[in-house]
Amino acid sequence: MLGFMKKIQFLIPAFALAALAFAGCSDDDTNNEQPAPAPKPVAPATELKFTDDAQAALTFVAVEPQAQIIALTTDAEEIKVEQVLAEEETEAAWCKVTVKSVEQVEVAPLTNTTTAVRSIKYRISAEGVEPIEFTVTQDAGEEEAKNTLSVDITPNEGGMYTVNVAAAGGQVDVATVTTDAPEGWTAEVESSLEGVCTLDTASGATGEKVTVTFTQNTTGSMRMATLTIAAGTAEEITIYLTQEVGEASEVKLYEQDNHENALTSPYAVAFDKDLTDENKRKEFLVEANGEYEVKVVETGTSDVVAEDTAWLEASGGYGSLVLIAKSSNTGAERKVDVILVNKSAVELFRLNVTQAGDSTPDAGGDAGGETGGEEPSVE
């Protein structure tokens, strides 16, 4: 027991010494964490100028310009270069400015691929002195030389190239194409109606013709296609192709509210004696495979009624036929025919038109009827 107590007495001083040593180490570590040194203040400069005043305005060629060094005379420790921006102007990317030292600034613009002269301004500044400015101006780039392209068609007054195509269609030599493009020319054709026009020659050499083929026009209206010719870097040429309307050989008429059952010629149409805005006009749908004319004629003939004596107006176009009675009838029943004929004066359809009068008690009831005993009126 006595030995054990002696060991305790020996260990207590040893632990105390260890604790003091640890505390000493901790204090030393804390003292070693020195604060970061404060930035060294920049001494104000007393001078900042161009060594050569001519370098306040630098000029560069457009293609592959060589960088230039601006030499400065200054006692500044630091300099800064920044672009001088006008209102709503953004920093230019075509010129790179690098500070090599307080006495040298490198200016290196890129090649000018535009066809305009371009310019930019920079400011050099240093602590304690007035800033100085310099401008960078670069020549305009040359416009790329373009190939030539022409066709043997005279443009109209509006500068458009147009070609009329017959209604019968077939192959059409649109134009002879001339170009200096080494690869020759190419062509494309477009139409809003599928199958109207096809391109026969999609490409060729200078002096060759571009041809297209049109189908026969049996629609009763003009058809159009657009031919575009291109060659190298030349500006494209657009030619507008217009196919004429052919002569109609057949027309079909339908009542305005019934587009399924075609009417039979001759067809009877009756107007009331007294006209209102609602009953003085009658309209029909027309389907024709070509161009036709509408005529108001004497009953049973092809003799055109004089306009100053006609009581009925008739007009056709855009797929419709419109009949308009001009005035109320105060006399006997009156009659005319309306015929649809082609350019060769071949009759394609006839309407027997009557307007009831005072002498016709049953207006419209006995005004004539469609051949074959069908309903006589389109009221």
Side-chain angles (χ1 to χ4, degrees):
M1 183 67 177
L2 180 59
F4 177 75
M5 292 299 295
K6 286 183 178 181
K7 289 182 180 180
I8 293 295
Q9 289 175 353
F10 173 78
L11 290 175
I12 289 174
F15 279 120
L17 289 174
L20 289 173
F22 179 78
C25 291
S26 298
D27 290 342
D28 289 344
D29 290 343
T30 302
N31 293 335
N32 286 338
E33 292 182 3
Q34 299 296 329
K40 183 180 178 181
V42 177
T46 60
E47 185 180 27
L48 177 63
K49 64 180 182 180
F50 297 106
T51 303
D52 181 358
D53 290 339
Q55 289 193 305
L58 303 180
T59 58
F60 292 86
V61 296
V63 181
E64 297 183 357
Q66 297 298 311
Q68 297 185 38
I69 298 293
I70 296 177
L72 302 174
T73 300
T74 182
D75 58 353
E77 296 180 8
E78 294 180 1
I79 63 171
K80 181 173 66 173
V81 182
E82 57 188 345
Q83 183 182 339
V84 180
L85 297 174
E87 186 176 356
E88 297 184 356
E89 185 181 6
T90 58
E91 290 190 9
W94 60 267
C95 186
K96 182 180 180 181
V97 177
T98 306
V99 176
K100 294 293 187 179
S101 70
V102 293
E103 295 179 342
Q104 289 189 335
V105 175
E106 183 184 70
V107 181
L110 303 175
T111 293
N112 189 357
T113 57
T114 72
T115 57
V117 175
R118 55 190 182 182
S119 183
I120 193 171
K121 181 184 289 188
Y122 291 95
R123 178 183 295 116
I124 305 174
S125 59
E127 183 71 25
V129 291
E130 289 292 324
I132 57 177
E133 295 180 348
F134 68 93
T135 59
V136 177
T137 302
Q138 188 175 27
D139 296 340
E142 294 184 2
E143 186 174 0
E144 183 183 9
K146 291 187 176 181
N147 294 120
T148 60
L149 176 65
S150 62
V151 292
D152 60 344
I153 301 174
T154 302
N156 60 21
E157 294 181 356
M160 298 173 59
Y161 294 96
T162 60
V163 172
N164 291 327
V165 179
Q171 190 176 73
V172 180
D173 290 335
V174 178
T176 299
V177 184
T178 303
T179 180
D180 63 359
E183 64 274 24
W185 53 265
T186 60
E188 292 183 355
V189 68
E190 293 183 2
S191 176
S192 59
L193 300 174
E194 185 177 356
V196 168
C197 179
T198 55
L199 184 65
D200 298 330
T201 50
S203 62
T206 185
E208 294 182 345
K209 293 181 181 294
V210 55
T211 61
V212 297
T213 296
F214 272 81
T215 58
Q216 183 180 3
N217 187 0
T218 59
T219 64
S221 59
M222 286 192 303
R223 302 193 302 185
M224 295 188 65
T226 302
L227 176 67
T228 303
I229 304 173
T233 58
E235 185 175 352
E236 293 182 348
I237 292 178
T238 300
I239 302 174
Y240 298 94
L241 310 175
T242 304
Q243 188 177 24
E244 299 173 351
V245 180
E247 181 178 66
S249 60
E250 180 184 19
V251 295
K252 293 181 180 180
L253 264 67
Y254 302 84
E255 292 183 355
Q256 188 61 23
D257 56 355
N258 184 352
H259 297 173
E260 294 183 359
N261 298 320
L263 305 178
T264 303
S265 178
Y267 186 76
V269 182
F271 284 90
D272 291 341
K273 176 179 71 70
D274 298 318
L275 299 177
T276 65
D277 290 340
E278 289 75 18
N279 67 18
K280 70 177 182 180
R281 175 189 177 99
K282 300 185 184 297
E283 188 169 352
F284 301 88
L285 175 69
V286 181
E287 291 181 358
N289 64 353
E291 192 172 21
Y292 64 91
E293 296 180 53
V294 178
K295 297 181 179 181
V296 179
V297 297
E298 300 289 351
T299 302
T301 73
S302 298
D303 300 329
V304 177
V305 177
E307 290 187 12
D308 57 348
T309 61
W311 58 270
L312 183 75
E313 291 181 349
S315 59
Y318 301 102
S320 66
L321 171 66
V322 179
L323 308 181
I324 300 177
K326 293 182 180 180
S327 61
S328 296
N329 188 3
T330 58
E333 177 186 71
R334 47 191 181 185
K335 300 181 178 181
V336 289
D337 285 353
V338 174
I339 58 174
L340 280 64
V341 298
N342 61 19
K343 293 180 180 180
S344 301
V346 175
E347 182 177 316
L348 305 173
F349 202 96
R350 180 178 290 261
L351 297 96
N352 303 134
V353 186
T354 62
Q355 183 182 20
D358 288 340
S359 61
T360 308
D362 186 13
D366 298 321
E370 179 181 347
T371 302
E374 294 191 17
E375 187 68 26
S377 174
V378 296
E379 292 291 345

